[in-house]
Amino acid sequence: MPLDRNQLIGKEAILLLLQDKDQLPERLRQLNWKFCKGKVGAMDGKKVVAAVETAAKNQGIVKPDLYRETHALYHAILEAVSGVTRGSNQIGTLLRTVGLQFVIVRGNPYQDKAEGEWLAVVLYGTIGAPVKGLEHEAIGLGINHI
Amino acid sequence: MPLDRNQLIGKEAILLLLQDKDQLPERLRQLNWKFCKGKVGAMDGKKVVAAVETAAKNQGIVKPDLYRETHALYHAILEAVSGVTRGSNQIGTLLRTVGLQFVIVRGNPYQDKAEGEWLAVVLYGTIGAPVKGLEHEAIGLGINHI
Amino acid sequence: MPLDRNQLIGKEAILLLLQDKDQLPERLRQLNWKFCKGKVGAMDGKKVVAAVETAAKNQGIVKPDLYRETHALYHAILEAVSGVTRGSNQIGTLLRTVGLQFVIVRGNPYQDKAEGEWLAVVLYGTIGAPVKGLEHEAIGLGINHI
Amino acid sequence: MPLDRNQLIGKEAILLLLQDKDQLPERLRQLNWKFCKGKVGAMDGKKVVAAVETAAKNQGIVKPDLYRETHALYHAILEAVSGVTRGSNQIGTLLRTVGLQFVIVRGNPYQDKAEGEWLAVVLYGTIGAPVKGLEHEAIGLGINHI
Amino acid sequence: MPLDRNQLIGKEAILLLLQDKDQLPERLRQLNWKFCKGKVGAMDGKKVVAAVETAAKNQGIVKPDLYRETHALYHAILEAVSGVTRGSNQIGTLLRTVGLQFVIVRGNPYQDKAEGEWLAVVLYGTIGAPVKGLEHEAIGLGINHI
Amino acid sequence: MPLDRNQLIGKEAILLLLQDKDQLPERLRQLNWKFCKGKVGAMDGKKVVAAVETAAKNQGIVKPDLYRETHALYHAILEAVSGVTRGSNQIGTLLRTVGLQFVIVRGNPYQDKAEGEWLAVVLYGTIGAPVKGLEHEAIGLGINHI
């Protein structure tokens, strides 16, 4: 069965971030969806990964010692990084820097409850030269089953 | 000089698409920004590129016979495709299909008017197996000077 | 908790394929692990994906109508294709052809039962010019939580 | 003329590693094939490359001061790394760490002796977060003429 | 309208570098084309990017504080790096080193003056192991509208 | 021992193509170097590969039935394609078309004769939209031991 148009996990995650909201919509809170937000500025890809992983673990979005949850999260982060870097997953090694906000959402976006929980990671902000103002926007979204 | 936080071209393009609006915000219309919207479903990467290019030319976002504008648009589209496919830019060759909406915005997102015009291309929708419902969301954003 | 060295899902999958065995080792059968085997020759990446997906669904390794299982499988297949093509995921578009055997295994390779089920997809065979004999071996392994 | 099914260089290299053997099969020793084994743990792609190159040179698999042999080896290593990383060739820059064993084999896998010598490099082990246990298996195989 | 065969910006840039000339051809000087040359040796991709950017800014090829010019230059550099590394954009992280000369040319290569100015970046030199002599040649060309 | 600055195989191949020469320099003919030239226009990556392979075999640059020579050539072609496409190796699947000339050179560019023969493949021409004039230049160089 298809995605439920009222609970699109990627769209909700993007809107939470871009509209700078501090709460999930009421309908999602009733479904017990979880989310957290954070920021990271870095020239170093691994700092971006670490910032998102740490937030997800500290905020209880994933269980820190369960590898299957870390694995699901890691690939969702990488896919989001891939959108921000438009494919290369390289930042500082190519003399770029990023200033990003992120949102992580965990919930079930499908009509069929058997589809279980999924994870959405959004990264949005700027990428550019390591000089203030020499930058443009970028976004990335990673979605994975968890 | 930095991006103007009131006229972020990528963010405006994403919100136009996700909030399903038919107009640019008043402040952007007064700045003479242009935009258009469209849809494309395909297993074929080149159909996605063609759909966005055709819309941009038909709606007067870029001049059809000026290569520098086509070139700017093409690279913005490719970067957006790269977000949707999370790096590989491959769709049907790996047995995936996409159902996408797109928005193209042309305007000046920097405080300094000398920065001139820029282009934002957003693709948002679903990617998955060529079977109804076996799909999840994806987004891509490409930004280029024009 | 770490991988159980007696039930390494990737290693077992590779040995099943290379040693041309028709059964899982006794210790894995007792754990209720599942597997299937198949072959595919193609110049077309999507045929490789389709052959593995079809086998996995027909042999009951994944549930055909549960997207989270198809999604887990799809990414495991892509990772295996990436090993065979050594990064590009392109076959016929670069005038290569492949003759592959594949094995899919579903089981729990971790000591901690909470880690649940994982999937391993192995592709092994030859890749080369579309001329008999102008080819060398290649292998790819994709592992995903399911 | 095709590959000789009794002396498949990639398959032999993988089985040497996975079955933890210390000798080539008798039929390959009579053909004067060479091999060596080693281990490397790293968050740094260049340490993996260096470990394999050093072993190959120290064990006499390739001539250290002949660039064509170093070149053949280097590309075989990169292809193996590409299988382990499933395309990106990035390890620590994306906050991953690897614990790998490797085998290098040099021999002639073709029926036609004119095909001369080839090199197979296999990397097998685990890849994952820099935390004990948060990891899964990976394999990569690179084959090149030498 | 097509490229003007007498003022091909990529070809002129490559010949300036390979023929080790210190001047643009007379016909290009009359058109007010600009160029500069430089050298960089590095194991670090970001040093290559920085060397070319610094030369372009110091020699007046691009305006240092106009982001749209830096952005055009950056993407031209990345495309040239991609030719040198043949796709991966990775140097030291894979234990390679480069010794490169570069040429940057700014001019209008199209018959139609409305096409405005374009930028060509050429990198040519050697890539290989960090050992003298264990290397071969490589070239990369990036072209962008500016 | 290093590259011989008087017989740089990549530079010679590029100059043969760009200067539209029909002969190798006298010093290279005395060394018995071989070369051939050709053209190919295509939206299809595999046609580019096929055109270069066919020319190399028909003109006696590589032996058609010796896989090690085909293998060396294939990887040199792919590396050249990678320069032309700046990484993705995709042409028509992303709605691009190419019009290319190519040169293949076989010779020994190292001072040490033990380094044996190497192959250089250069592709140079235009890449762009499938519309006359909407295109810019591109170059790619692949070098391999043979």
Side-chain angles (χ1 to χ4, degrees):
Chain A
M1 271 191 297
L3 285 161
D4 185 330
R5 298 287 150 182
N6 288 318
Q7 52 197 77
L8 291 167
I9 195 167
K11 182 176 176 177
E12 298 292 348
I14 297 167
L15 291 176
L16 270 173
L17 193 155
L18 291 187
Q19 297 177 334
D20 206 18
K21 287 191 193 160
D22 285 331
Q23 284 205 324
L24 280 169
E26 190 54 34
R27 68 184 184 285
L28 301 180
R29 292 168 63 201
Q30 289 176 348
L31 292 166
N32 254 333
W33 286 28
K34 290 178 195 161
F35 88 104
C36 75
K37 303 180 70 165
K39 283 188 187 186
V40 57
M43 281 197 71
D44 206 345
K46 66 173 172 281
K47 284 189 189 162
V48 176
V49 176
V52 181
E53 283 191 347
T54 302
K57 292 182 177 183
N58 288 350
Q59 304 293 318
I61 312 295
V62 301
K63 289 185 197 150
D65 48 1
L66 200 57
Y67 179 49
R68 63 185 292 117
E69 300 213 342
T70 300
H71 185 252
L73 175 63
Y74 181 78
H75 283 273
I77 297 171
L78 269 207
E79 296 193 356
V81 170
S82 162
V84 167
T85 59
R86 281 139 293 141
S88 79
N89 286 354
Q90 294 176 278
I91 301 175
T93 51
L94 296 173
L95 201 65
R96 292 194 283 194
T97 190
V98 293
L100 298 169
Q101 293 172 271
F102 59 84
V103 163
I104 315 166
V105 179
R106 180 175 183 157
N108 180 350
Y110 294 91
Q111 292 176 0
D112 183 353
K113 290 309 153 205
E115 290 295 357
E117 285 185 306
W118 291 69
L119 208 57
V121 173
V122 185
L123 300 169
Y124 165 81
T126 55
I127 187 164
V131 175
K132 179 79 186 148
L134 302 190
E135 66 203 12
H136 61 65
E137 297 160 271
I139 197 167
L141 168 66
I143 289 186
N144 210 353
H145 62 285
I146 188 164
Chain B
M1 271 193 296
L3 284 161
D4 185 329
R5 297 288 149 181
N6 288 317
Q7 52 198 75
L8 291 166
I9 194 167
K11 183 176 175 177
E12 298 292 349
I14 297 167
L15 291 176
L16 271 172
L17 192 155
L18 291 186
Q19 297 176 335
D20 205 19
K21 286 192 196 161
D22 285 329
Q23 285 206 325
L24 281 170
E26 189 54 32
R27 67 185 185 286
L28 302 180
R29 292 169 63 200
Q30 290 176 347
L31 292 165
N32 255 333
W33 284 28
K34 290 177 195 160
F35 88 104
C36 74
K37 305 180 68 167
K39 284 188 186 185
V40 58
M43 282 197 72
D44 204 346
K46 66 172 173 281
K47 284 189 189 162
V48 176
V49 176
V52 181
E53 282 191 348
T54 302
K57 292 181 177 184
N58 288 349
Q59 304 293 317
I61 311 296
V62 301
K63 289 184 196 151
D65 47 1
L66 200 57
Y67 179 49
R68 63 185 293 116
E69 299 212 342
T70 299
H71 185 252
L73 175 63
Y74 181 77
H75 282 274
I77 296 171
L78 270 208
E79 295 193 356
V81 170
S82 161
V84 168
T85 59
R86 279 138 295 138
S88 78
N89 286 354
Q90 295 176 278
I91 301 175
T93 51
L94 296 173
L95 200 65
R96 291 194 283 195
T97 189
V98 293
L100 298 169
Q101 294 172 271
F102 58 84
V103 162
I104 315 166
V105 179
R106 180 175 183 157
N108 179 347
Y110 294 91
Q111 293 175 0
D112 183 354
K113 290 309 153 204
E115 290 296 356
E117 285 185 306
W118 292 69
L119 207 60
V121 173
V122 185
L123 300 168
Y124 165 79
T126 54
I127 188 165
V131 175
K132 180 77 187 149
L134 301 191
E135 66 203 11
H136 60 65
E137 296 161 270
I139 197 169
L141 168 66
I143 289 186
N144 209 353
H145 62 285
I146 188 163
Chain C
M1 271 192 295
L3 285 160
D4 184 330
R5 297 288 149 182
N6 289 318
Q7 52 197 78
L8 292 166
I9 194 167
K11 183 177 176 176
E12 298 292 347
I14 296 167
L15 291 176
L16 270 173
L17 193 155
L18 290 186
Q19 297 177 335
D20 206 17
K21 286 191 194 162
D22 286 330
Q23 284 205 325
L24 281 169
E26 189 54 32
R27 67 185 185 287
L28 302 180
R29 292 168 63 200
Q30 289 175 348
L31 292 166
N32 256 332
W33 286 27
K34 291 178 194 160
F35 87 104
C36 75
K37 304 180 68 167
K39 283 188 187 185
V40 57
M43 281 197 71
D44 204 346
K46 66 172 171 280
K47 285 190 189 162
V48 175
V49 177
V52 181
E53 282 191 348
T54 301
K57 292 181 178 183
N58 288 349
Q59 304 292 318
I61 310 296
V62 300
K63 288 184 197 150
D65 48 2
L66 201 56
Y67 179 50
R68 63 185 292 117
E69 299 212 342
T70 300
H71 185 251
L73 175 63
Y74 182 77
H75 282 273
I77 297 171
L78 270 208
E79 296 193 357
V81 170
S82 162
V84 167
T85 59
R86 279 138 295 139
S88 78
N89 285 355
Q90 294 175 278
I91 302 175
T93 50
L94 296 173
L95 201 65
R96 292 193 284 194
T97 189
V98 293
L100 299 169
Q101 294 171 271
F102 59 84
V103 163
I104 315 166
V105 179
R106 180 175 182 156
N108 180 350
Y110 294 91
Q111 292 176 0
D112 183 353
K113 290 309 153 206
E115 290 295 357
E117 285 184 306
W118 291 68
L119 208 58
V121 173
V122 186
L123 300 169
Y124 165 80
T126 55
I127 187 165
V131 175
K132 179 82 186 143
L134 302 191
E135 66 201 12
H136 61 64
E137 296 160 271
I139 197 168
L141 168 66
I143 288 186
N144 209 353
H145 62 284
I146 189 164
Chain D
M1 272 191 297
L3 285 160
D4 185 330
R5 298 287 150 181
N6 288 318
Q7 51 196 76
L8 291 167
I9 194 168
K11 182 176 176 177
E12 299 291 348
I14 296 167
L15 291 176
L16 270 172
L17 193 154
L18 290 187
Q19 296 176 335
D20 205 19
K21 287 191 193 162
D22 285 331
Q23 284 204 325
L24 281 169
E26 190 55 32
R27 67 185 186 284
L28 301 180
R29 293 168 62 202
Q30 289 176 348
L31 293 165
N32 255 332
W33 285 28
K34 291 176 193 160
F35 88 104
C36 75
K37 304 179 69 166
K39 283 188 188 186
V40 58
M43 282 196 71
D44 205 345
K46 66 173 172 281
K47 283 189 190 162
V48 176
V49 177
V52 181
E53 282 191 349
T54 302
K57 292 181 178 184
N58 288 350
Q59 304 294 318
I61 311 295
V62 300
K63 289 184 196 151
D65 48 2
L66 200 57
Y67 180 48
R68 63 185 293 116
E69 299 211 343
T70 299
H71 185 252
L73 175 63
Y74 181 77
H75 282 273
I77 297 171
L78 270 209
E79 296 192 356
V81 170
S82 162
V84 167
T85 59
R86 281 136 296 140
S88 79
N89 286 354
Q90 294 176 280
I91 301 174
T93 52
L94 296 173
L95 201 67
R96 293 195 282 196
T97 189
V98 293
L100 299 169
Q101 294 172 272
F102 59 84
V103 162
I104 314 165
V105 179
R106 180 176 182 156
N108 179 348
Y110 295 90
Q111 292 176 359
D112 183 354
K113 289 309 151 206
E115 290 295 357
E117 285 183 308
W118 291 69
L119 208 57
V121 173
V122 186
L123 300 169
Y124 165 81
T126 55
I127 187 164
V131 175
K132 180 81 185 145
L134 302 190
E135 67 202 11
H136 60 66
E137 298 161 271
I139 197 168
L141 168 66
I143 289 187
N144 210 354
H145 62 285
I146 189 165
Chain E
M1 273 191 297
L3 286 161
D4 184 331
R5 298 287 150 181
N6 288 318
Q7 51 197 76
L8 291 167
I9 195 167
K11 182 175 176 178
E12 298 290 349
I14 297 167
L15 291 176
L16 271 172
L17 193 155
L18 291 187
Q19 297 176 334
D20 205 18
K21 286 189 192 162
D22 285 331
Q23 284 205 326
L24 280 170
E26 189 55 31
R27 67 185 184 287
L28 302 180
R29 292 169 61 200
Q30 289 176 348
L31 292 166
N32 257 332
W33 284 28
K34 291 178 194 161
F35 88 103
C36 76
K37 305 180 68 165
K39 285 188 187 183
V40 58
M43 281 196 71
D44 205 344
K46 66 172 172 281
K47 284 189 188 161
V48 176
V49 177
V52 181
E53 282 192 347
T54 302
K57 291 182 176 184
N58 287 350
Q59 303 294 317
I61 311 295
V62 301
K63 289 185 195 148
D65 47 3
L66 200 58
Y67 179 48
R68 62 186 291 117
E69 300 213 342
T70 300
H71 185 251
L73 175 62
Y74 182 77
H75 282 273
I77 297 171
L78 270 208
E79 296 193 355
V81 170
S82 163
V84 167
T85 59
R86 280 138 294 141
S88 78
N89 286 354
Q90 294 176 280
I91 302 176
T93 50
L94 296 173
L95 202 65
R96 292 194 284 194
T97 190
V98 293
L100 298 169
Q101 293 171 273
F102 59 85
V103 163
I104 314 166
V105 179
R106 180 175 182 156
N108 179 350
Y110 294 91
Q111 292 175 0
D112 183 354
K113 290 309 153 204
E115 291 294 359
E117 285 185 307
W118 291 69
L119 208 59
V121 173
V122 185
L123 300 169
Y124 165 81
T126 55
I127 187 165
V131 175
K132 179 79 185 147
L134 302 190
E135 66 203 11
H136 61 66
E137 297 159 272
I139 197 168
L141 168 65
I143 289 186
N144 209 353
H145 61 284
I146 188 164
Chain F
M1 272 191 297
L3 285 160
D4 185 330
R5 297 287 149 182
N6 288 318
Q7 51 197 77
L8 291 166
I9 194 167
K11 182 176 176 178
E12 298 292 349
I14 297 167
L15 290 175
L16 270 173
L17 192 155
L18 290 186
Q19 297 177 333
D20 204 19
K21 286 190 194 163
D22 286 329
Q23 284 205 327
L24 281 169
E26 189 54 33
R27 67 184 185 286
L28 302 180
R29 292 168 63 200
Q30 290 176 347
L31 292 166
N32 256 333
W33 285 27
K34 290 177 195 161
F35 88 103
C36 75
K37 305 179 68 166
K39 283 188 187 185
V40 58
M43 282 197 70
D44 204 346
K46 66 173 173 281
K47 284 191 188 160
V48 176
V49 176
V52 181
E53 283 191 348
T54 301
K57 292 181 177 184
N58 288 349
Q59 303 292 318
I61 311 296
V62 300
K63 289 184 196 150
D65 47 2
L66 200 58
Y67 179 50
R68 65 185 291 116
E69 299 212 342
T70 299
H71 184 252
L73 175 63
Y74 181 77
H75 282 273
I77 297 171
L78 269 208
E79 296 193 356
V81 170
S82 161
V84 167
T85 59
R86 279 138 296 138
S88 77
N89 286 354
Q90 294 175 279
I91 301 175
T93 50
L94 296 173
L95 200 67
R96 292 195 283 193
T97 190
V98 294
L100 299 169
Q101 294 173 272
F102 58 84
V103 163
I104 314 165
V105 178
R106 181 175 181 156
N108 180 349
Y110 294 91
Q111 293 176 359
D112 183 353
K113 290 308 153 206
E115 290 295 357
E117 285 184 306
W118 291 68
L119 208 57
V121 172
V122 186
L123 299 169
Y124 166 80
T126 55
I127 187 165
V131 176
K132 179 80 186 145
L134 302 191
E135 66 201 12
H136 61 64
E137 297 160 270
I139 197 168
L141 169 65
I143 289 186
N144 210 352
H145 62 285
I146 190 165

